[in-house]
């Protein structure tokens, strides 16, 4: 183990290097190019991860392509049995998986278990796939003629995922894609690549044929390899907005089906009649859970009327009780994922001061229950953030909660609707009419009413609006099944003598 943290551009010495999962086996990287993987609570690189060469990218896609026909043609019953077994194994081994997540992401163990649970919910949905890919049948549409439709898999699908949910986000896609008969090449984040390899091994143990699920470690080269390969039919991406836009444009240019989910800046609108204890608890949970590294984190509390003066003391009181430290030690909040990211998030506190905001609680220099070199930043609360400040306009993706004060409900709605992102939002009120109006007028894809993080359950679909998504299909739910299948419409006639003879026009009956 190294004692000092290399930058993300360097390779750590004396640590193991993680490879790929291709054709049902671990494959060592051969490119010579690697990235360090940190334990964020210790602040040291504990592994490297191989970054795929073009030869490895080609090999991974070729393996997935070769596995496709047999997997597509395997009976529904057999595919379903493998999905059920995989669900059982993930559930049995979720404790180990959570420890892997915490050791590379930094989030506390209970939160890592929470993301696995959400992933399992999609996997459970995927086990019921036969019901969701049934076609339709119309008998006797013309004399002796029937029409029916089938939903077929696409072929090889690329999934490219972000660092912040190394289990849940890949599981938004690959269980559904694989259950319906596709093969998947997953390119996980190079910041926390181990969870994907663990899942690949469990899937194999469940009976998944080699080549159906591939893990390709890498950076932009691997992503571009998937985007540019004629053998990859569809791309599911989750990450930051600039990369999501690039993925969407490149995949679309190459004729692929694509869904690219981007960044976020989620607001909670608090009306004066709200239950402010609920608001304070919710702001803490949604603002600082997972150190704010959630695409559905609340980063702005929009306080209507006198709410700010009443709720800020309740929030600061609660912030004092939060224990920040190593996620393995029953703390409330862990470190940020890398030193580079921690420094970037902390720099917004300087920006806030320069822009005239009030830093009510400054998380820099916090005392933690963990190693001195960990990538720490404590929960931070900033009041009176000007909406022109980069603190307000940019996604910070850390434990920094801003308060913006507005006069009226209408001002709050207008503010939220004027933002670039549209992932999640919430309203806190006891006025059902106001909540109903909010739900109707707000231009955001996922809305909470007295619920701060309104992530839809697996049988609905996940996705925002505007710069939070590119493409018209959301993740999982019925939209996920739609994304990973394509419909064939079949018109058939069997040995009916009344076919009408020669007729160059459309049939009339
Ligand atoms: P990121 O955009 O840096 O990386 C995402 C993936 O893209 C990774 O696999 C990475 O290797 C790859 N990548 C990075 N740079 C690339 C490039 N130039 N070309 C091609 N591929 C590239 O995102 P991140 O920092 O890993 O994750 C955090 C971001 O993800 C935040 O913006 C967050 O809001 C967003 N996110 C969104 C959702 C959602 O559902 N909308 C969910 C989770 C995370």
């Amino acid at each position: 183990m190294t004692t000092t943290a290399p930058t993300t551009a360097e390779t750590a010495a004396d640590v193991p290097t993680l490879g790929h999962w291709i054709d049902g086996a671990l494959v060592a990287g051969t490119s010579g190019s690697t990235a360090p993987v940190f334990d964020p609570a210790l602040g040291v690189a504990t592994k490297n991860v191989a970054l795929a060469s073009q030869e490895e990218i080609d090999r991974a896609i070729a393996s997935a392509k070769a596995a496709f026909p047999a997997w597509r043609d395997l009976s529904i019953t057999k595919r379903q049995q493998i999905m059920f077994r995989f669900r059982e194994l993930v559930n049995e081994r979720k404790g180990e998986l959570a420890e892997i997540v915490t050791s590379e992401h930094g989030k506390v163990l209970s939160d890592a278990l929470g993301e696995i649970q959400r992933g399992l919910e999609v996997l459970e949905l995927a086990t019921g796939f036969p019901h969701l890919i049934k076609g339709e049948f119309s008998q006797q549409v013309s004399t002796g003629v029937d029409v029916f439709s089938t939903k077929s898999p696409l072929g090889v699908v690329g999934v490219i995922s972000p660092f912040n949910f190394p289990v849940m986000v890949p599981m938004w896609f690959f269980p559904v894609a694989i259950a319906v008969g596709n093969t998947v090449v997953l390119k996980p984040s190079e910041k926390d690549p181990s969870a994907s390899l663990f899942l690949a091994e469990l899937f194999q143990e469940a009976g998944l044929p080699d080549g159906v699920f591939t893990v390709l470690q890498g950076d932009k080269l691997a992503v571009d390899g998937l985007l540019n390969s004629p053998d990859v039919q569809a791309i599911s991406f989750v990450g930051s907005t600039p990369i999501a836009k690039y993925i969407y444009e490149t995949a679309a240019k190459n004729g692929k089906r694509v869904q690219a989910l981007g960044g976020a800046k989620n607001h909670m609108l608090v009306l004066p009649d709200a239950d402010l204890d609920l608001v304070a608890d919710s702001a803490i949970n949604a603002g600082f859970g997972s150190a704010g590294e959630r695409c559905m984190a609340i980063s702005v509390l929009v306080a209507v009327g006198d709410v700010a003066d009443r709720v800020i003391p309740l929030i600061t009181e609660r912030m004092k009780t939060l224990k920040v430290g190593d996620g393995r030690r029953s703390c409330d909040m862990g470190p940020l994922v890398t030193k580079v990211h921690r420094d970037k998030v902390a720099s917004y506190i300087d920006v806030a001061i320069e822009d005239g905001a009030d830093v009510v609680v400054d998380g820099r220099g916090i005392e933690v229950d963990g190693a001195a070199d960990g990538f720490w930043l404590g929960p931070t609360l900033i009041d009176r953030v000007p909406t022109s400040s980069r603190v307000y306009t940019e996604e910070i993706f850390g434990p920094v909660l801003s308060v913006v004060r507005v006069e009226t409900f209408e001002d709050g709605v207008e503010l939220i609707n004027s933002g670039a992102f549209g992932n999640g939002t919430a309203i806190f009120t006891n006025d059902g009419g106001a909540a109903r109006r909010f739900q109707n007028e707000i231009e955001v894809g996922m809305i909470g009413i007295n619920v701060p993080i309104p992530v839809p359950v697996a049988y609905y679909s996940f996705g925002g609006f505007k710069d939070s998504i590119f493409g018209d299909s959301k993740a999982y739910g019925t939209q996920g099944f739609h994304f990973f299948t394509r419909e064939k419409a079949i018109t058939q006639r069997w040995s009916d003598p009344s076919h009408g003879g020669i007729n160059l026009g459309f049939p009339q009956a």
Side-chain angles (χ1 to χ4, degrees):
M1 209 184 267
T2 56
T3 48
T4 51
T7 67
T8 44
E10 293 170 348
T11 296
D14 305 328
V15 293
T17 297
L18 300 171
H20 317 286
W21 181 267
I22 301 175
D23 246 343
L26 278 171
V27 173
T30 55
S31 69
S33 179
T34 62
V37 180
F38 297 96
D39 185 323
L42 303 179
V44 296
T46 53
K47 312 165 189 107
N48 292 308
V49 61
L51 303 176
S53 64
Q54 190 58 50
E55 188 269 329
E56 287 157 359
I57 297 164
D58 293 343
R59 189 172 154 197
I61 296 171
S63 157
K65 186 181 178 190
F68 173 62
W71 178 245
R72 174 198 58 200
D73 293 341
L74 196 69
S75 76
I76 281 182
T77 304
K78 287 187 178 141
R79 274 189 274 146
Q80 201 174 23
Q81 283 165 352
I82 292 169
M83 298 306 296
F84 269 115
R85 180 80 187 116
F86 180 50
R87 188 267 168 202
E88 290 306 295
L89 288 171
V90 175
N91 195 42
E92 278 164 24
R93 307 278 301 272
K94 63 188 174 194
E96 287 162 75
L97 187 54
E99 280 173 26
I100 291 171
V101 170
T102 296
S103 71
E104 294 182 358
H105 177 284
K107 65 178 71 177
V108 300
L109 273 176
S110 57
D111 195 35
L113 275 170
E115 81 156 281
I116 296 166
Q117 188 55 42
R118 299 314 297 255
L120 274 169
E121 285 167 20
V122 178
L123 178 49
E124 284 156 7
L125 178 81
T127 61
F129 75 93
H131 182 64
L132 287 153
I133 57 165
K134 284 190 293 197
E136 294 171 315
F137 193 98
S138 299
Q139 198 173 336
Q140 197 75 347
V141 297
S142 186
T143 309
V145 175
D146 307 323
V147 173
F148 61 98
S149 63
T150 61
K151 290 183 181 167
S152 313
L154 310 173
V156 181
V157 167
V159 175
I160 302 155
S161 55
F163 82 83
N164 66 319
F165 286 112
V167 173
M168 182 186 80
V169 167
M171 285 177 75
W172 281 354
F173 305 106
F174 78 76
V176 175
I178 287 178
V180 301
N182 299 284
T183 57
V184 167
V185 178
L186 167 63
K187 206 302 282 174
S189 168
E190 58 275 40
K191 295 190 178 86
D192 42 18
S194 295
S196 300
L197 296 173
F198 187 82
L199 289 170
E201 290 189 21
L202 293 189
F203 226 160
Q204 183 179 59
E205 197 182 329
L208 192 75
D210 295 347
V212 176
F213 182 56
T214 298
V215 179
L216 181 68
Q217 310 286 8
D219 55 9
K220 180 171 167 52
L221 188 70
V223 172
D224 286 346
L226 292 169
L227 293 176
N228 293 320
S229 168
D231 292 329
V232 175
Q233 307 305 324
I235 298 284
S236 298
F237 171 88
V238 180
S240 59
T241 289
I243 311 296
K245 196 158 182 284
Y246 166 74
I247 300 281
Y248 178 71
E249 290 171 355
T250 312
K253 182 164 61 76
N254 290 337
K256 297 186 198 315
R257 190 173 283 202
V258 53
Q259 51 183 182
L261 284 71
K265 188 91 184 175
N266 306 314
H267 299 63
M268 63 191 277
L269 181 66
V270 184
L271 303 193
D273 71 334
D275 172 345
L276 292 190
D277 283 312
L278 172 67
V279 169
D281 288 345
S282 300
I284 295 277
N285 296 342
F288 306 130
S290 202
E293 293 169 327
R294 288 178 180 148
C295 65
M296 289 292 277
I298 289 290
S299 50
V300 185
L301 188 156
V302 183
V304 176
D306 67 348
V307 159
D309 290 334
R310 291 191 286 132
V311 82
I312 286 174
L314 301 179
I315 295 175
T316 51
E317 193 182 292
R318 286 160 170 78
M319 286 173 76
K320 286 183 205 142
T321 68
L322 294 179
K323 192 168 146 199
V324 178
D326 191 318
R328 291 158 287 222
R329 297 189 195 172
S330 307
C331 296
D332 298 302
M333 196 184 100
L336 280 85
V337 69
T338 58
K339 180 176 185 304
V340 172
H341 186 57
R342 190 272 315 273
D343 293 347
K344 184 180 170 208
V345 173
S347 75
Y348 282 98
I349 303 173
D350 289 323
V351 174
I353 294 165
E354 279 160 29
D355 290 349
D358 294 345
V359 178
V360 183
V361 181
D362 187 336
R364 295 172 295 188
I366 187 168
E367 280 194 19
V368 297
D369 179 10
D373 290 339
F375 308 139
W376 310 111
L377 180 67
T380 297
L381 182 66
I382 309 176
D383 188 17
R384 299 183 190 277
V385 174
T387 53
S388 55
S389 171
R390 290 199 294 114
V391 175
Y392 178 73
T393 56
E394 295 179 4
E395 180 181 36
I396 298 176
F397 219 56
V400 177
L401 179 62
S402 299
V403 177
V404 174
R405 297 167 179 241
V406 295
E407 291 296 316
T408 63
F409 169 89
E410 287 79 7
D411 293 343
V413 169
E414 195 183 321
L415 180 71
I416 297 170
N417 283 347
S418 66
F421 301 103
N423 212 39
T425 189
I427 184 169
F428 282 77
T429 180
N430 280 311
D431 179 344
R436 189 169 182 277
R437 222 184 120 190
F438 182 78
Q439 164 210 312
N440 189 36
E441 294 176 17
I442 211 73
E443 290 161 19
V444 175
M446 293 172 282
I447 300 165
I449 297 174
N450 297 316
V451 173
I453 305 192
V455 173
V457 289
Y459 34 96
Y460 285 77
S461 295
F462 182 105
F465 288 179
K466 302 198 275 188
D467 282 358
S468 296
I469 197 166
F470 300 90
D472 65 358
S473 282
K474 298 184 176 198
Y476 62 78
T478 49
Q479 295 199 31
F481 284 91
H482 178 72
F483 185 80
F484 290 121
T485 54
R486 55 185 167 185
E487 196 169 285
K488 290 180 181 169
I490 298 143
T491 305
Q492 72 174 8
R493 173 194 284 127
W494 288 107
S495 62
D496 188 324
S498 62
H499 59 76
I502 292 174
N503 179 352
L504 274 56
F506 286 110
Q508 304 292 316

